[in-house]
Amino acid sequence: MSIAGLRFGHVAFRVSDTERSVRWYGDAFGAKKIYHAEANGERPELMFLEFARGQLIEFFTGGKNMLPSPPDPIGYIHLCLVVDNLDQALEHLAKMNVKPERLSYPIRTATASN
């Protein structure tokens, strides 16, 4: 049984430098900050960036320690973005000193039938 109307909302990350992260995602992907809530009591500062309508990433502030990845971890693995032109996207990211570690899965292109 599926849940009627179910859609993916967003993915959240804790970051150490919010403004740097906002700037980077804006420069790299054109993401725009659409919501910002200051810290309030127990709730930390948070913000949402939108890549395209309804496609969001959330940042929580206050990150301090980079966690090493254990072998065979359970949990977050990657973030997948869909682009119209992969070569152009990789060229843009390379100018920002971002180079994918690997493109191990077959590249798929979207068609009207997908």
Side-chain angles (χ1 to χ4, degrees):
M1 176 178 167
S2 65
I3 300 172
L6 177 67
R7 294 176 305 283
F8 182 79
H10 66 274
V11 62
F13 297 100
R14 184 169 305 279
V15 297
S16 61
D17 186 332
T18 309
E19 290 310 313
R20 181 175 153 229
S21 297
V22 168
R23 192 171 44 255
W24 192 88
Y25 277 86
D27 291 347
F29 305 117
K32 304 270 190 260
K33 183 168 40 170
I34 62 166
Y35 180 77
H36 183 188
E38 297 290 335
N40 185 1
E42 294 291 314
R43 192 198 71 225
E45 179 182 23
L46 61 93
M47 62 189 63
F48 283 92
L49 279 68
E50 186 172 56
F51 288 83
R53 184 178 162 104
Q55 297 175 347
L56 307 171
I57 188 170
E58 181 180 16
F59 290 145
F60 285 89
T61 58
K64 293 183 178 90
N65 301 302
M66 182 71 75
L67 297 174
S69 293
D72 300 321
I74 293 173
Y76 175 81
I77 296 175
H78 68 262
L79 171 68
C80 173
L81 300 174
V82 177
V83 297
D84 290 335
N85 184 320
L86 181 60
D87 292 330
Q88 181 185 41
L90 292 173
E91 182 179 314
H92 170 70
L93 292 173
K95 290 177 185 173
M96 298 184 67
N97 203 30
V98 175
K99 297 171 186 86
E101 290 180 20
R102 60 186 166 89
L103 291 173
S104 63
Y105 299 101
I107 307 267
R108 292 175 290 191
T109 56
T111 63
S113 63
N114 287 17

